[in-house]
Structures are given as structure tokens and as C-alpha cells.
């Protein structure tokens, strides 16, 4: 655990010996060659995206984003009639101070060093500390049937609440809303009151070095503006980073509404949460429900009434089944939302009102298929292609920049993504709301990484229920996970107990793998109580497989941490790492580091990070937690200047993104969701595996990823880049179909040698929905060249209506065969005196 780069350390973890998992091998593809064709597509007609200049691509990026804003603007409208919300006082201005060691609660310490802060506030340091957020607020007199409630959107990590010097309550966790009734304080003394929020931070269970704590936190948060620690999203800071309000609520109050859609039976199960703040059991209320289009205009509406005979003291949940007819489905392309207005009346007078939205959609992991776990969306097969998110969306909410929040979701759509992995923690409600409106499916993780401390098992189960309660109303939220990259801690009598000595110190402090499986069962049951329809994947990136229930997942950084997961040669050929047999598979993380764009580095980095050595050379070791200078040696030559490092690191990142994404897409027969690590950075240098900088300017890998994720496309695969005169080589042609429908297409491929046509071939085939097909091979007949020659295979995929779905260029090189070659002998390239000529051809 002494290794400063914990993530590289994890990547070197060995797969446990004796595992029952099986390597996923490529199918036995034996495609027939395409037939010769008299059609051809000159390169200038099927020009591929990678050949456009950086300036052209950036212009397309800006124009595409503007077009998406216009396209989705109508879906961000709200046409529901308003409801009466409770009178609310938002508390934003606080004073802050860290507590001294061993200091106990002190209501007022005017001599202390207080700092003025504005909520939301998130800060360091990492580790154990306590602090006060203190404010004073004025309240009016409460009505007879009125209660004052202190509402918190989220506090990281433990919050202990005091009003007027008295303890009110406490909450543990970094993401869930919570509230306390403070009516007694407001009723007895209307006027000015004091609120103190005692925030307690701790080391996370994952830990820092050899030090760990009880904080249920993985390796992702909003970060803070500090280049030494806060820019990197892994440090576990703390603070009050959600809204704090005082709400004047009626004694009978609607706290939450959940519409559970069923598109197979054309109804919604409506759950209405009602809080009774009195100790009584009042009777004879009436519930009135209105369901109507929220973000589109249509006369359709549903009304429903029901008598609520008794409302018990405390929390109640009422359930109703309401028919829906001729409704519009929620889809990523057309994210139609419905609104629900609920009104509770007594004797004809309104007591309380609440509102919520929902989408009519269905997302399942079907365990009756072979292999099990195929995803279906609205009863059609679907493949999820996306990226991880680490902090930038949360920062948008915290700074109030909701236009940027919308743009960040649209940037993902522009990249042909259809889902975000909200990595290793739930996020603020606003993020889910915007994903609902903009049609971006998402995965949410419980904030656990590698380990779970024994005294925190019950707390983790409780937080799993809180997570689902936060998510369940959102159609964009499609599945959840419980832990990221668990490592091997097994019982000593377990045949798989050979775990790395790096984690031996953890064995005495954390639950073992069989106990973790019991935690998964308990957490699943709690989620079922909140929402029986939730799709669950126990583990993200399983380093200690297999999990006993549900689909497996692996992480793969084979073009960064060399050979991680599976060597790149095997991955490119079609192999996948060992996973549980008989299941569809996910890959929740893959990618490579590419340094920030040069303008970010020069404008935002501390000056000492940009300093050159006495020889005028610059190295990425200056950047805190950058991995480039320690890992790049396996992939590209060492550079000497900042500009060169940026250029070469981004070139490698783009190449890795293309090779790995294409390889994963060619295994859509078993791989149903993949997520690049990562899309957008929240801070300069925050986590440079991102393909878009914190200024929302793309790196080269963004365009590479967008090109690879075109939903319906042709893909050319070759095990060789170098051919020799006189041989015939077969290039594989694949049809990649991430759409929800079977696609019949025609692929025409033109082969040119040094710009001269050398053959044209064509094939027509059908690719199943959300699947892949190796459709045929394209014969490349190499002429007897006397000098190095460039060979291009240009393939165009046409739909049945004649429109071009995609195109792709594969570039190969031909070398002269040795003059003394005999028939059937292996070709030998001519080197020696012509080596410089060949090197120039290859760009060295």
C-alpha cells in the first residue's frame, strides 16, 4: 500500500488462482470473401472523419453542440400546472471554522477564527477532521397546523445538527437528502435562531496509504479548487455542498411521489409518501391526482381520486394503480415526460400538494436469454455505450451553472454516447432531472471501492436504500452497482485465498468476499423494497470474481497499464478476460491518459508545474498524480517539450480509444455495456484520462470515440499492417449494429495501391439488433511492388434505402518481397540500404 499511485497498484492485481471463471474466446468466425464488384467508392467520396483537420473537427463540434441544444430545448419545458410549494427560507451565508483536536461542542466561540462561506461549500483536507458551519436566521410565527422543517440536500460526510444550542439530529452519508422537524424551537421562540452544522470527515474505507477509516466513500467527489490536492477527484473532502432550507410545512405533508411505470400492462403504480407531523391519526382525507404531459403539448391527461381514511403518525406510503392509455414512451431520442400533481384535501380544502415527473419506459436485464443478462429497453434489445463521470456535473450544480450541466449531457450525446456512469457515488437530484429531460441513461454506484469495513456493513445497506429512493422516480436511471474493483480477501481455507500482500493489512479490518456476497443480498433486498424494477450489477470491475448473483464486469486498461485485463493483441483478436460463464458482460472502465490541451496547462497550471530543467526540457512529472511519464514508455517515445508531450500523449490516447472501443464493439454478442474512463474533466489535470478538458474543449480522443460509437457502422479488422509483394491477404469486414432493429446493409470496399484501383468487392447482409456480424473478408491482392507502397481499403456501408450509414479506411503498407523467394515461402522485406526510405514512409 506504500505505492503512491494506488490506481496503478490496483491495475497490477493478479486474477485469483483457481477461479472458476472462463476466458471469453472469440467466436469461430469463418466468413466467406466478398464477391468482386464493378462498383467502387473513391476515397474523396467516402472520406472518413479521422482525416479531417483539427480545425474542421472543432468547428463541427461547436456546430453539433448548438444543434443539439436546439433539438432538445422543447424537452426541457414544463407544461404542468403549478402546485403550491411550501414557503421556504434558503440558508446560504454561513461562518465556518475547523474544530481543534478533542474540542467538544461549543455553541459560540467568538474568539475563534471564523471564515465567511457560501453554501454549497466543499473542501479538504483528506482525513479526520471536524468543523462548524454556523448561521443565524429569522423565522415567523408558526400556524396552529404548521411545522418548521430543516431540510438538507446533502452533507458530506457526518452531519450533527444543533439549533439554538440544542441537538436536533444527525445523518451519515455523502449524497442523500435528510430533514428534521424543528417546530418546537420556532414555536416557542419566533424570531432569530442559530443553526450549527457540525461536519465530520474521516479517511475513507479505501484509505490513503496505510491509513483508512469508516467513511463510505469510493474515489470520486466534486473536488475543490486546489492544484495540490483538490483538483484530483479522488481525495475525500467534506462539506455542506447541497442546499439548506427551512420549510414551513402543513402538519399533513406530501414528502415524495413515485410513479412506477408498467408499459406491458399500460398502467403506473403510484406511491405517495405522506408525513404526519402530529401524534394523531386524522381521518377523512381525499387524494386527487392529475397526470398530464410535462415536456410536450398534448390534451391527454389522467385524473384519479381516492379516499384516504386514516393517515397514521409519522411516515405513510399510499399505493394506487392508475391506467395509462395512448401514452408516449420515454426514449433517449424522444425523452417524453409526464408530470404528476397530487393534492390532499379535507372538507374540500387543500391540505398539501406535491409534484413529480416520470417517463413511461422499461429497462430489464433478461435472465432467460442465452447468455443471461441481455439488456432490453422498451422490449427491444439495447447496448449501452458511454463514459464515466467524475465531478464536473456536480460542480455545475454547485456553481448554479445549469446551462453547462445541460451542455455536458449534450456533449455526451454529440459523442454518440447513450449513457453516463455516475462513477462511485450518487449525485444531486438536478443531474438526474436534466438527464431525464435530455434522454441520457445513467448508472449510479454506491460509494464503495475495494473494501467494506465490518462495522459499516449495516450502514452500507441503509445507504443502498437511500440511493434507490433518490433514483427511483427518474426514467434516466437504469441500473446501479454496489462496489468498485473489490480485491482478493478470502478465508484462509479458501482455495482462492492467494491475494496480494499489498492488501494483507486490510484483511483484519474488512469483511471477506463471502461476507461481501451476503452484503450484496441484503442491499438488493432493500432496493427491492424501494423499487422492484431496478436492474442491479453487484460489482464494477471485479478483481475477485465471480459474484454469485447477476452479471459480471471487468475493467481493462490494457493500452495504458500494459496487458491489464487482457493483452491488447488478444483483445484486438476478440478475446475477453475470464468472467462468469453464461452471462452477458460489462466493461465499466477502459482508456488511457492524454495530457490537457496546452492552453489549459499554460493558463491554469501553477507556474512551477511548467518549469523546464537546466537543459530546457519539460517532463509530466511536474504534474501532481500524472501517470504519463511513468507509463508511456510502453507506448510512445519519451518527449522533451511540453507541446511534444501533449501531442504524443493525445495521439496515443486517441489510438487506444479507437482500438479498444472497436474491439469491444466486435464482441457485442456478449458485451452489452462499455464505459470509457472518462469524458469531461472538472478541474485542470484532475484525471487526464478524460477526452474533453475542463474548458469543454475536446482532445483528439473525443473525435476518435465519437467515430467508433457511430451506432451502425462498418469496421475493418486486420491482424497485419504490413504486406509483401505477390501475396493475397484477407481483411475482415464487420457490421456493428448498436441500434434496436435488425439492419440489412450492403458494404462495398475498394482497394487501392498507391492511389491506383486494385479491386472492388461487395456484400449484402443483415446484422441483428444490438449485435455484431463478421460479414466477410476483402481480398487484398498485393502487386509485385519494387518500392514501399501505401494500400488503402475503403469500405462504405449503405442502408436498404441507399443512404450511407458509415465509411472506414484501413491503411496498410506493401513492401517488396525478397527476389530469391520460392513459391510458398514466407515473404521477407528488403531492408539495409532502403531502411531510410521505409522509415520516411512510416513517418519516423
Amino acid at each position: 500500500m506504500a505505492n503512491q499511485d494506488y490506481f496503478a497498484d490496483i491495475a497490477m492485481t493478479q486474477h485469483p488462482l483457481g477461479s472458476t471463471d472462463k476466458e471469453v474466446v472469440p467466436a469461430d468466425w469463418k466468413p466467406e470473401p466478398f464477391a468482386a464488384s464493378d462498383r467502387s467508392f473513391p476515397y474523396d467520396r467516402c472520406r472518413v472523419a479521422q482525416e479531417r483537420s483539427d480545425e474542421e473537427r472543432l468547428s463541427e463540434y461547436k456546430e453539433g453542440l448548438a444543434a443539439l441544444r436546439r433539438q432538445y430545448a422543447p424537452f426541457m419545458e414544463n407544461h404542468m400546472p403549478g402546485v403550491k410549494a411550501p414557503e421556504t427560507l434558503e440558508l446560504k451565508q454561513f461562518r465556518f471554522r475547523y474544530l481543534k483536536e478533542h474540542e467538544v461542542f461549543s455553541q459560540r466561540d467568538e474568539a475563534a477564527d471564523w471564515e465567511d462561506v457560501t453554501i454549497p461549500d466543499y473542501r479538504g483536507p483528506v482525513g479526520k477532521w471536524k468543523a462548524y458551519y454556523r448561521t443565524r436566521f429569522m423565522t415567523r410565527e408558526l400556524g396552529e397546523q404548521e411545522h418548521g422543517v430543516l431540510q438538507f440536500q446533502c452533507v458530506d460526510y457526518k452531519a450533527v445538527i444543533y439549533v439554538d444550542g440544542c441537538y436536533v439530529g444527525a445523518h451519515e452519508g455523502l449524497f442523500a437528502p435528510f430533514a428534521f422537524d424543528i417546530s418546537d424551537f420556532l414555536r416557542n421562540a419566533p424570531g432569530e435562531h442559530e443553526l450549527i452544522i457540525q461536519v465530520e470527515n474521516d479517511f475513507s474505507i479505501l484509505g490513503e496509504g496505510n491509513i483508512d477509516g469508516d467513511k463510505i466513500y469510493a474515489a470520486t467527489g466534486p473536488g475543490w479548487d486546489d492544484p495540490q490536492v483538490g483538483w484530483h477527484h479522488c481525495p475525500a473532502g467534506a462539506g455542506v455542498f447541497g442546499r439548506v432550507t427551512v420549510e414551513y410545512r402543513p402538519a399533513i405533508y406530501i414528502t415524495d411521489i413515485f410513479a412506477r411505470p408498467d408499459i406491458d400492462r399500460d398502467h403506473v403504480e403510484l406511491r405517495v409518501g405522506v408525513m404526519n407531523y402530529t401524534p394523531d391519526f386524522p381521518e377523512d382525507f381525499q387524494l386527487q391526482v392529475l397526470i398530464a404531459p410535462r415536456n410536450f403539448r398534448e390534451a391527454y391527461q389522467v385524473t384519479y381520486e381516492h379516499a384516504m381514511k386514516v393517515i397514521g403518525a409519522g411516515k405513510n406510503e399510499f399505493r394506487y394503480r392508475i391506467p395509462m392509455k395512448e401514452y408516449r414512451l420515454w426514449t433517449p431520442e424522444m425523452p417524453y415526460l409526464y408530470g404528476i400533481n397530487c393534492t390532499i384535501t379535507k372538507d374540500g380544502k387543500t391540505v398539501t400538494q406535491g409534484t413529480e415527473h416520470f417517463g413511461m419506459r422499461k429497462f430489464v436485464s433478461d435472465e432467460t436469454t442465452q447468455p443471461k443478462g441481455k439488456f432490453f429497453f422498451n422490449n427491444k434489445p439495447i447496448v449501452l455505450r458511454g463514459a464515466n463521470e467524475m465531478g464536473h456535473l456536480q460542480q455545475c450544480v454547485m456553481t448554479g451553472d445549469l446551462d453547462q450541466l445541460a451542455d455536458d449531457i449534450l456533449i455526451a450525446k454529440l459523442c454518440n454516447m447513450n449513457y453516463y456512469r455516475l462513477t462511485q457515488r450518487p449525485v444531486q437530484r438536478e443531474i438526474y432531472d436534466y438527464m431525464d429531460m435530455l434522454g441520457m441513461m445513467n448508472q449510479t454506484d454506491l460509494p464503495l471501492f475495494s473494501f467494506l469495513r465490518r462495522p459499516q456493513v449495516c450502514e452500507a445497506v441503509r445507504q443502498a436504500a437511500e440511493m434507490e429512493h433518490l433514483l427511483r422516480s427518474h426514467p434516466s436511471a437504469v441500473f446501479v452497482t454496489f462496489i468498485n474493483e473489490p480485491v482478493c480477501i478470502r478465508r484462509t481455507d479458501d482455495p482462492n485465498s492467494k491475494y496480494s500482500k499489498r492488501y494483507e493489512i486490510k484483511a483484519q479490518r474488512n469483511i471477506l468476499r463471502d461476507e461481501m456476497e451476503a452484503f450484496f443480498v441484503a442491499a438488493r433486498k432493500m432496493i427491492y423494497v424501494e423499487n422492484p424494477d431496478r436492474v442491479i450489477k453487484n460489482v464494477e470491475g471485479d478483481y475477485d470474481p465471480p459474484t454469485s448473483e447477476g452479471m459480471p464486469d471487468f475493467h481493462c486498461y490494457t493500452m495504458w497499464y500494459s496487458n491489464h485485463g487482457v493483452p491488447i493483441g488478444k483483445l484486438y483478436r476478440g478475446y475477453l478476460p475470464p468472467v462468469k460463464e453464461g452471462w452477458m458482460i460489462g466493461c465499466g472502465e477502459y482508456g488511457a491518459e492524454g495530457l490537457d490541451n496546452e492552453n489549459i496547462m499554460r493558463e491554469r497550471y501553477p507556474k512551477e508545474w511548467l518549469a523546464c530543467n537546466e537543459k530546457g526540457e519539460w517532463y509530466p512529472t511536474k504534474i501532481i498524480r500524472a501517470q504519463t511519464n511513468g507509463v508511456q514508455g510502453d507506448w510512445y517515445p519519451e518527449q522533451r517539450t511540453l507541446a511534444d508531450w501533449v501531442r504524443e500523449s493525445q495521439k496515443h490516447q486517441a489510438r487506444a480509444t479507437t482500438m479498444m472501443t472497436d474491439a469491444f464493439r466486435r464482441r457485442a454478442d456478449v458485451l452489452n455495456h462499455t464505459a470509457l474512463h472518462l469524458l469531461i474533466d472538472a478541474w485542470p489535470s484532475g484525471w487526464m484520462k478524460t477526452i474533453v478538458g475542463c474548458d469543454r474543449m475536446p482532445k483528439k480522443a473525443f473525435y476518435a470515440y465519437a467515430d467508433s460509437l457511430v451506432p451502425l457502422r462498418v469496421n475493418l479488422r486486420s491482424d497485419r499492417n504490413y504486406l509483401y509483394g505477390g501475396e493475397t491477404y484477407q481483411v475482415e469486414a464487420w457490421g456493428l449494429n448498436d441500434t434496436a432493429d435488425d439492419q440489412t446493409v450492403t458494404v462495398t470496399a475498394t482497394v487501392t495501391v498507391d492511389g491506383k484501383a486494385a479491386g472492388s468487392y461487395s456484400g449484402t447482409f443483415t446484422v441483428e439488433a444490438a449485435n455484431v456480424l463478421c460479414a466477410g473478408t476483402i481480398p487484398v491482392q498485393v502487386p509485385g511492388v519494387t518500392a514501399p507502397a501505401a494500400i488503402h481499403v475503403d469500405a462504405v456501408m449503405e442502408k436498404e434505402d441507399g443512404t450511407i450509414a458509415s465509411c472506414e479506411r484501413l491503411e496498410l503498407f506493401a513492401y517488396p518481397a525478397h527476389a530469391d523467394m520460392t513459391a510458398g515461402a514466407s515473404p521477407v522485406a528488403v531492408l539495409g540500404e532502403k531502411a531510410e526510405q521505409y522509415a520516411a514512409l512510416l513517418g519516423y
Side-chain angles (χ1 to χ4, degrees):
M1 299 296 292
N3 192 331
Q4 292 184 349
D5 193 338
Y6 178 74
F7 303 99
D9 201 30
I10 283 183
M12 297 302 107
T13 298
Q14 296 295 313
H15 196 280
L17 299 179
S19 171
T20 58
D21 288 2
K22 302 294 184 183
E23 185 177 41
V24 181
V25 300
D28 186 18
W29 300 110
K30 293 182 179 178
E32 295 294 324
F34 280 12
S37 172
D38 57 2
R39 304 184 66 198
S40 65
F41 284 83
Y43 179 59
D44 59 359
R45 180 175 170 189
C46 65
R47 188 168 178 234
V48 294
Q50 291 92 329
E51 294 297 322
R52 297 198 291 278
S53 68
D54 290 346
E55 291 75 14
E56 288 175 305
R57 296 301 307 250
L58 182 59
S59 176
E60 291 175 1
Y61 169 84
K62 293 178 179 179
E63 292 172 2
L65 184 57
L68 285 175
R69 289 178 188 135
R70 294 189 295 271
Q71 178 182 342
Y72 282 93
F75 293 101
M76 301 179 71
E77 297 174 357
N78 186 356
H79 302 295
M80 285 293 293
V83 300
K84 184 178 180 181
E87 181 184 345
T88 300
L89 171 66
E90 184 168 3
L91 309 180
K92 296 182 67 69
Q93 303 304 318
F94 282 74
R95 304 194 75 196
F96 173 89
R97 74 175 178 91
Y98 292 102
L99 273 66
K100 301 172 185 175
E101 188 175 7
H102 307 307
E103 182 178 348
V104 296
F105 174 71
S106 172
Q107 183 182 1
R108 296 171 181 82
D109 185 355
E110 300 298 345
D113 187 14
W114 292 89
E115 170 190 352
D116 291 329
V117 299
T118 301
I119 302 300
D121 180 69
Y122 190 82
R123 61 178 62 219
V126 171
K128 295 182 74 69
W129 53 266
K130 294 181 181 180
Y132 288 157
Y133 289 84
R134 173 187 171 194
T135 191
R136 303 191 70 83
F137 60 96
M138 296 291 295
T139 62
R140 61 168 174 75
E141 186 174 347
L142 292 178
E144 183 178 353
Q145 292 297 314
E146 194 173 39
H147 283 248
V149 176
L150 194 57
Q151 176 74 42
F152 298 86
Q153 185 182 25
C154 49
V155 177
D156 184 349
Y157 174 65
K158 287 184 179 179
V160 184
I161 310 302
Y162 300 92
V163 173
D164 295 340
C166 298
Y167 173 81
V168 170
H171 181 266
E172 179 174 351
L174 59 90
F175 61 84
F178 59 96
F180 302 108
D181 185 356
I182 58 170
S183 301
D184 290 344
F185 298 94
L186 308 190
R187 202 178 304 280
N188 293 332
E192 188 177 64
H193 300 273
E194 182 184 59
L195 167 64
I196 290 181
I197 309 167
Q198 179 178 295
V199 172
E200 299 182 22
N201 198 23
D202 194 359
F203 286 101
S204 70
I205 295 173
L206 177 64
E208 288 282 324
N210 288 330
I211 304 175
D212 58 29
D214 284 340
K215 180 173 182 175
I216 295 178
Y217 178 96
T220 305
W224 61 94
D225 195 3
D226 166 33
Q228 304 303 314
V229 179
W231 282 1
H232 199 283
H233 297 310
C234 299
V240 182
F241 70 100
R243 293 187 308 278
V244 180
T245 57
V246 177
E247 298 179 358
Y248 296 93
R249 296 180 178 178
I252 304 298
Y253 180 73
I254 296 176
T255 57
D256 59 272
I257 300 168
F258 170 40
R260 180 186 167 206
D262 188 334
I263 67 170
D264 296 324
R265 297 175 179 83
D266 297 331
H267 71 250
V268 295
E269 178 195 76
L270 178 62
R271 301 185 183 185
V272 183
V274 180
M275 186 70 181
N276 176 4
Y277 286 104
T278 75
D280 303 322
F281 287 70
E283 301 178 354
D284 299 328
F285 292 88
Q286 192 77 14
L287 173 67
Q288 298 170 350
V289 177
L290 169 67
I291 299 177
R294 183 183 190 273
N295 62 357
F296 62 101
R297 295 185 183 277
E298 195 174 79
Y300 176 88
Q301 68 176 28
V302 176
T303 58
Y304 179 83
E305 292 192 16
H306 192 270
M308 306 173 78
K309 295 183 178 181
V310 179
I311 299 179
K315 182 66 180 290
N316 303 260
E317 184 174 84
F318 298 89
R319 301 188 183 190
Y320 311 95
R321 182 169 293 177
I322 300 178
M324 296 283 291
K325 296 181 179 179
E326 299 179 358
Y327 51 82
R328 298 188 187 185
L329 291 172
W330 186 94
T331 69
E333 299 77 23
M334 296 289 182
Y336 293 116
L337 294 173
Y338 289 89
I340 301 179
N341 287 353
C342 291
T343 302
I344 296 177
T345 63
K346 187 176 176 64
D347 299 330
K349 296 181 179 179
T350 296
V351 175
T352 180
Q353 290 184 302
T355 188
E356 185 56 272
H357 67 258
F358 70 99
M360 292 298 291
R361 70 103 172 103
K362 176 183 177 183
F363 184 87
V364 299
S365 173
D366 189 348
E367 297 188 9
T368 67
T369 59
Q370 286 297 324
K372 297 178 181 179
K374 193 172 184 65
F375 287 156
F376 287 86
F377 183 83
N378 291 344
N379 294 325
K380 288 190 173 185
I382 190 170
V383 178
L384 301 183
R385 307 291 184 195
N388 287 254
E389 184 277 337
M390 294 179 76
H392 62 97
L393 297 178
Q394 288 187 291
Q395 280 292 328
C396 291
V397 175
M398 291 166 64
T399 59
D401 193 349
L402 298 185
D403 288 340
Q404 186 64 64
L405 173 62
D407 271 3
D408 284 4
I409 297 169
L410 295 177
I411 287 170
K413 282 185 167 283
L414 189 61
C415 199
N416 292 315
M417 287 170 42
N418 62 3
Y419 96 108
Y420 256 117
R421 178 188 169 201
L422 299 170
T423 309
Q424 301 169 29
R425 84 281 184 231
V427 293
Q428 300 101 312
R429 171 168 180 141
E430 291 90 336
I431 296 171
Y432 297 106
D433 285 343
Y434 271 64
M435 289 191 176
D436 292 343
M437 293 185 286
L438 298 173
M440 180 56 63
M441 294 178 288
N442 57 78
Q443 164 193 342
T444 297
D445 304 339
L446 194 68
L448 288 172
F449 196 143
S450 291
F451 313 106
L452 175 55
R453 291 270 287 123
R454 192 169 299 279
Q456 288 293 79
V457 173
C458 292
E459 175 62 24
V461 172
R462 188 191 68 80
Q463 290 192 24
E466 282 189 320
M467 175 175 69
E468 184 55 43
H469 195 82
L470 178 66
L471 302 179
R472 64 181 186 171
S473 292
H474 297 281
S476 61
V478 292
F479 71 99
V480 300
T481 69
F482 294 134
I483 190 167
N484 187 77
E485 297 181 355
V487 295
C488 310
I489 300 180
R490 295 179 178 268
R491 297 183 183 277
T492 55
D493 59 352
D494 190 317
N496 297 328
S497 63
K498 185 177 180 180
Y499 58 85
S500 170
K501 290 293 183 183
R502 291 190 296 270
Y503 307 116
E504 189 167 10
I505 192 173
K506 299 286 189 178
Q508 71 206 44
R509 295 177 57 76
N510 301 290
I511 62 174
L512 307 180
R513 181 57 187 242
D514 62 320
E515 295 167 330
M516 186 173 288
E517 293 292 333
F519 158 69
F520 295 155
V521 172
R524 279 174 171 263
K525 294 298 185 184
M526 290 306 302
I527 286 178
Y528 179 86
V529 171
E530 293 288 337
N531 178 12
D533 302 322
R534 177 63 65 213
V535 172
I536 300 170
K537 179 175 67 175
N538 286 349
V539 176
E540 261 288 343
D542 203 347
Y543 284 82
D544 188 13
T547 182
S548 60
E549 187 174 4
M551 70 188 70
D553 185 275
F554 67 92
H555 291 171
C556 185
Y557 292 97
T558 190
M559 290 190 72
W560 191 239
Y561 311 121
S562 300
N563 296 330
H564 178 255
V566 59
I568 182 57
K570 294 188 72 173
L571 178 67
Y572 189 73
R573 178 63 184 87
Y575 289 84
L576 296 175
V579 293
K580 185 167 59 175
E581 268 195 300
W583 281 84
M584 298 295 288
I585 315 164
C587 179
E589 292 183 22
Y590 69 99
E593 188 167 280
L595 296 181
D596 279 331
N597 291 325
E598 189 173 350
N599 68 299
I600 289 180
M601 300 172 76
R602 297 199 180 280
E603 294 169 8
R604 301 284 304 273
Y605 281 17
K607 291 183 179 179
E608 59 270 21
W609 290 13
L610 305 176
C612 297
N613 63 19
E614 62 277 3
K615 297 180 181 179
E617 300 168 334
W618 181 87
Y619 294 93
T621 51
K622 297 279 188 179
I623 305 172
I624 289 178
R625 294 203 181 189
Q627 296 177 327
T628 291
N629 206 47
V631 177
Q632 57 70 222
D634 285 349
W635 303 107
Y636 55 91
E638 187 174 75
Q639 305 299 305
R640 295 291 184 271
T641 69
L642 184 148
D644 289 345
W645 275 108
V646 170
R647 183 189 66 251
E648 294 304 313
S649 69
Q650 291 193 9
K651 280 173 59 177
H652 172 70
Q653 184 187 41
R655 178 169 176 259
T657 298
T658 296
M659 288 188 68
M660 295 187 69
T661 303
D662 287 356
F664 289 146
R665 289 200 65 181
R666 290 193 295 268
R667 291 312 313 268
D669 57 320
V670 294
L671 197 58
N672 65 356
H673 60 293
T674 57
L676 185 73
H677 198 77
L678 304 138
L679 184 64
I680 302 174
D681 216 340
W683 302 98
S685 83
W687 192 249
M688 287 181 291
K689 290 185 178 69
T690 53
I691 59 176
V692 177
C694 64
D695 60 352
R696 275 52 175 189
M697 288 294 102
K699 305 176 188 177
K700 291 181 182 297
F702 176 87
Y703 307 123
Y705 197 41
D707 292 339
S708 286
L709 291 188
V710 170
L712 178 64
R713 59 176 280 241
V714 61
N715 178 230
L716 302 176
R717 197 195 79 84
S718 170
D719 286 316
R720 293 169 56 189
N721 290 332
Y722 308 108
L723 309 177
Y724 299 94
E727 70 171 315
T728 298
Y729 179 70
Q730 303 291 336
V731 171
E732 295 173 3
W734 291 71
L736 311 180
N737 182 14
D738 280 356
T739 75
D741 299 300
D742 294 351
Q743 300 284 348
T744 299
V745 294
T746 298
V747 169
T748 302
T750 304
V751 180
T752 58
V753 180
D754 274 350
K756 297 179 181 179
S760 189
Y761 307 89
S762 183
T764 299
F765 50 91
T766 298
V767 193
E768 293 179 350
N771 214 323
V772 64
L773 177 67
C774 187
T777 61
I778 300 163
V780 178
Q781 297 175 341
V782 185
V785 295
T786 58
I791 298 178
H792 292 146
V793 182
D794 293 315
V796 174
M797 175 183 280
E798 294 177 279
K799 297 181 181 180
E800 287 185 289
D801 62 3
T803 60
I804 293 179
S806 74
C807 53
E808 180 156 307
R809 161 168 282 193
L810 176 66
E811 189 169 25
L812 307 172
F813 297 95
Y815 292 86
H818 195 282
D820 295 332
M821 281 179 56
T822 58
S826 298
V828 179
V830 178
L831 297 177
E833 72 278 4
K834 294 190 177 181
E836 291 185 3
Q837 181 182 358
Y838 298 162
L841 178 72
L842 297 173
Y844 291 141

